[in-house]
Amino acid sequence: MPRRRIGFWYRFAAVLCKPPLVVLIKRDWHGREHIPAEGGFITVVNHNSHLDPVAYGHFQYNTGRVPRFLAKSGLFRKGFVGAAMRGTGQIPVYRESTDALSAFRAAIDAVERGECVAFYPEGTLTRDPDGWPMVAKTGAARVALRTRCPVIPVAQWGCNELLPPYAKKPDLWPRKTHHVLAGPPVDLSEYYDRDMSADLLKEVTEVIMAAITRLLEEIRGEKAPDTPYDPRRERVEQRRRTEAQTAPQPGQAVRTRETEKEEEGQGT
């Protein structure tokens, strides 16, 4: 299947974005040979800076296979941003959908047309304190199992040093390096003929995230935690810690309104 033409809007975006990226960020890019020359596929990428879509888009633009990112549907509705999102073929995600698979119908259609769809499986910036990939959502696994397309894991590092997560101002000096390492396709063939249950999607997602994490370990020269950071589990544990701190300790009297009234009376 032939590649889709890059088109005016993507070229226009490249003209706007590439010069400042070249000035601000050095590039250390590897694994472009793993990006398929033709046919539909998905890339799955870790997410640790708000600059990731632009910087990673630069990497993949240079491979000749431009990515179609999933983005909130509201970004497509108005003004220049909406026109650019539509013109570059980005994919709206309708979060209000009650059918998890229908929210990714456009992504499935794009892959089946021979496009590349880029996923941030975590769904948002990682909350891991050290920037490692955290527990991910199952959207990429759904599309991969439905289309049986190549799944290319990609790790990136460096934009988080230029613009740390949730920071308001970039750290421009010294000049940062954007590291990208794309790996060979994740082999998911053993999962294709199984029922698409929640457990299966979770297992496939974990396989995908493990591949991304191994690539990031190679970039960073460090070992990732054995257990990925889980924001949901962390919220539960934080709530338990808060409740434990506010709960009466053994032997501590529980203050009631009546007790407070008595103390007030004694103090008068």
Side-chain angles (χ1 to χ4, degrees):
M1 184 176 294
R3 305 185 193 188
R4 174 174 170 170
R5 294 178 57 188
I6 291 177
F8 165 78
W9 276 102
Y10 237 122
R11 294 189 187 281
F12 181 61
V15 168
L16 291 179
C17 296
K18 287 178 73 172
L21 287 172
V22 170
V23 170
L24 292 173
I25 307 175
K26 295 182 286 186
R27 293 171 301 286
D28 179 32
W29 293 347
H30 300 279
R32 280 178 280 189
E33 68 275 11
H34 297 303
I35 302 296
E38 57 184 31
F41 65 101
I42 68 176
T43 58
V44 283
V45 193
N46 66 304
H47 193 14
N48 52 27
S49 172
H50 287 301
L51 291 178
D52 287 345
V54 178
Y56 175 71
H58 185 193
F59 163 80
Q60 200 171 315
Y61 180 91
N62 281 19
T63 71
R65 300 300 308 273
V66 294
R68 313 298 172 182
F69 291 99
L70 279 74
K72 296 177 182 179
S73 58
L75 295 175
F76 292 75
R77 292 171 185 163
K78 294 181 180 180
F80 175 81
V81 171
M85 297 292 284
R86 296 189 299 270
T88 54
Q90 308 312 313
I91 298 172
V93 175
Y94 299 94
R95 296 181 184 272
E96 64 272 14
S97 171
T98 57
D99 182 346
L101 187 57
S102 69
F104 295 98
R105 168 49 59 188
I108 292 170
D109 290 344
V111 170
E112 291 176 344
R113 290 195 307 269
E115 302 278 8
C116 166
V117 178
F119 277 89
Y120 292 120
E122 298 157 282
T124 186
L125 295 175
T126 182
R127 305 293 174 84
D128 182 271
D130 295 319
W132 293 103
M134 62 180 180
V135 171
K137 301 181 184 300
T138 60
R142 288 178 182 275
V143 175
L145 293 178
R146 181 66 177 267
T147 62
R148 302 191 178 190
C149 67
V151 178
I152 310 300
V154 183
Q156 60 179 346
W157 187 259
C159 284
N160 54 301
E161 297 174 340
L162 175 61
L163 184 66
Y166 309 107
K168 295 181 178 180
K169 294 182 179 180
D171 180 8
L172 300 176
W173 186 259
R175 190 174 176 222
K176 309 303 187 290
T177 299
H178 182 221
H179 304 272
V180 179
L181 178 58
V186 181
D187 184 6
L188 300 177
S189 57
E190 66 177 285
Y191 302 102
Y192 287 160
D193 296 320
R194 293 165 57 180
D195 292 335
M196 198 182 297
S197 64
D199 288 342
L200 177 66
L201 290 170
K202 182 175 182 292
E203 184 177 349
V204 172
T205 299
E206 290 173 351
V207 170
I208 291 171
M209 294 308 295
I212 299 172
T213 302
R214 286 193 295 270
L215 294 172
L216 188 57
E217 288 178 331
E218 186 173 342
I219 290 175
R220 295 177 60 174
E222 303 175 43
K223 183 71 172 65
D226 293 333
T227 303
Y229 181 88
D230 186 343
R232 188 173 300 177
R233 184 177 62 236
E234 179 62 25
R235 287 193 297 269
V236 171
E237 292 178 357
Q238 179 61 42
R239 186 163 57 247
R240 288 174 178 170
R241 289 193 293 267
T242 301
E243 291 172 352
Q245 291 172 356
T246 57
Q249 300 300 313
Q252 178 181 351
V254 178
R255 292 177 60 84
T256 65
R257 184 58 182 162
E258 288 72 15
T259 303
E260 292 174 353
K261 287 181 178 179
E262 291 177 3
E263 292 176 351
E264 291 173 359
Q266 293 172 358
T268 57

